[in-house]
Amino acid sequence: MTFPLHAAASYSRTSLPPSQSEGSSAHSPSTAHVPLAPPAPGSSCRGMLGSWRPVVSSATGRKRGRSWGCPLPGHGWAGSGIGALKRGDSGKRKIAAALFLYPICAPAESSFSGFAAPSRTPSAFAATYAKGGIPCRLMHGSVKHRLHWECPLETVPFDPLLITLAEGLRETKHPYTFVSKEGFKELLLVEDAAEKAIPLLPRLVPVLKAALAHSDDEVFERGLDALVQLSAVVGPSLNDHLKHLLTNLSRRLMDKKFKEKITIALQKLEQYGGKASVTIIKSKIPTYCSVFP
């Protein structure tokens, strides 16, 4: 039995005097106005009463019974019993059987709060960025943002920074999305990036694969862009790991909004990987058409 919540802070309590019986002349129940203070969350509030209210038939316009009012905001009524009414000797209605109700309090604040945000453990990338593990900071511009590196990029170690930035591609909140995407791109633009990135491919490819398998469309696009950027730097060295990345591309290729972008990415992978990459791509995506004659 469910009752809607009521916004009032005080209620009328209706009760019958113990001496009143069906044959007595006093048939009208006594009503006392009882202000109720909100109980502490999680505390017991048995014994608190609501109020009897008349129920009017929509068809005849006559009163056909009484119903219980609602308890304090945030609480509800529960219980069972019979609420039938019958006519007495004087023709007035009175209670024949009691309806036993007791209020149910809202849970304590420690277990539930309708306004408290759920506590979430920060991701590994967010924690690393907060501790200063990534030697760059986001500079907000009037038109676009940029990264300010605390040291020259030529002196920044790729291990483990490049892998950390690749892990940040799966972030969905600002500024982590921009820092990871732009940081990965700028790090690969270093003059000797190929020599530093090739030894990291066995650890870097699984991280990019996770970004390509992400359900978020923006995360997938960032992972696809990072894959093309990496292929442009390491060249044919990526061919040995390419088959692990093409499975997720073939799935997204069925989506019309990604079909063109994935096709362009595959052509660039073939361009940077050479003719040896064509066989690998066709083994996973048979419908792919090579750019080579």
Side-chain angles (χ1 to χ4, degrees):
M1 189 172 186
T2 306
F3 296 87
L5 295 179
H6 196 273
S10 64
Y11 300 86
S12 296
R13 181 177 63 187
T14 302
S15 61
L16 287 176
S19 60
Q20 183 175 330
S21 61
E22 291 188 9
S24 62
S25 59
H27 296 288
S28 299
S30 60
T31 303
H33 187 70
V34 182
L36 300 177
S43 64
S44 175
C45 51
R46 285 180 179 269
M48 291 171 53
L49 299 178
S51 60
W52 286 102
R53 297 180 179 180
V55 178
V56 181
S57 173
S58 58
T60 63
R62 297 180 178 179
K63 296 181 181 179
R64 56 191 176 100
R66 293 177 180 269
S67 64
W68 274 93
C70 301
L72 295 175
H75 301 75
W77 288 105
S80 61
I82 303 174
L85 303 176
K86 70 176 184 178
R87 293 186 179 276
D89 295 338
S90 60
K92 296 183 179 180
R93 295 177 181 270
K94 60 183 178 179
I95 301 174
L99 179 63
F100 301 96
L101 295 175
Y102 58 90
I104 300 176
C105 291
E109 293 180 356
S110 58
S111 60
F112 173 78
S113 178
F115 301 97
S119 58
R120 295 180 180 178
T121 304
S123 62
F125 180 83
T128 303
Y129 182 77
K131 294 178 181 179
I134 302 176
C136 68
R137 285 295 177 265
L138 177 62
M139 303 295 292
H140 294 274
S142 58
V143 180
K144 62 179 181 179
H145 307 317
R146 65 182 182 87
L147 292 181
H148 173 71
W149 294 88
E150 299 175 357
C151 55
L153 283 176
E154 292 75 11
T155 62
V156 175
F158 273 44
D159 187 9
L161 183 58
L162 187 63
I163 299 175
T164 302
L165 292 171
E167 291 175 346
L169 296 173
R170 288 177 287 173
E171 295 289 335
T172 57
K173 294 182 179 181
H174 184 78
Y176 311 124
T177 53
F178 181 84
V179 172
S180 59
K181 178 182 178 179
E182 194 67 19
F184 189 88
K185 176 183 176 181
E186 293 183 9
L187 205 59
L188 290 178
L189 295 177
V190 178
E191 185 176 355
D192 56 347
E195 299 177 2
K196 298 179 179 180
I198 290 176
L200 301 178
L201 287 178
R203 298 160 54 193
L204 193 58
V205 168
V207 179
L208 291 178
K209 182 180 178 181
L212 294 173
H214 203 281
S215 59
D216 190 279
D217 293 345
E218 294 182 359
V219 173
F220 171 77
E221 291 180 354
R222 288 195 293 270
L224 186 62
D225 293 339
L227 175 60
V228 174
Q229 294 163 7
L230 180 64
S231 178
V233 173
V234 300
S237 300
L238 187 62
N239 290 345
D240 295 337
H241 309 276
L242 197 57
K243 61 181 180 179
H244 301 293
L245 301 169
L246 293 175
T247 302
N248 296 313
L249 295 185
S250 63
R251 294 174 182 173
R252 291 276 189 167
L253 194 59
M254 306 303 293
D255 194 338
K256 292 183 180 180
K257 61 182 178 181
F258 293 118
K259 185 175 182 179
E260 182 179 359
K261 187 167 186 174
I262 293 176
T263 302
I264 296 175
L266 291 174
Q267 293 173 352
K268 290 183 178 180
L269 291 175
E270 180 186 356
Q271 178 183 351
Y272 300 138
K275 292 185 177 181
S277 62
V278 179
T279 305
I280 302 174
I281 295 175
K282 281 185 171 292
S283 65
K284 294 294 183 179
I285 307 176
T287 58
Y288 173 73
C289 297
S290 174
V291 296
F292 292 112

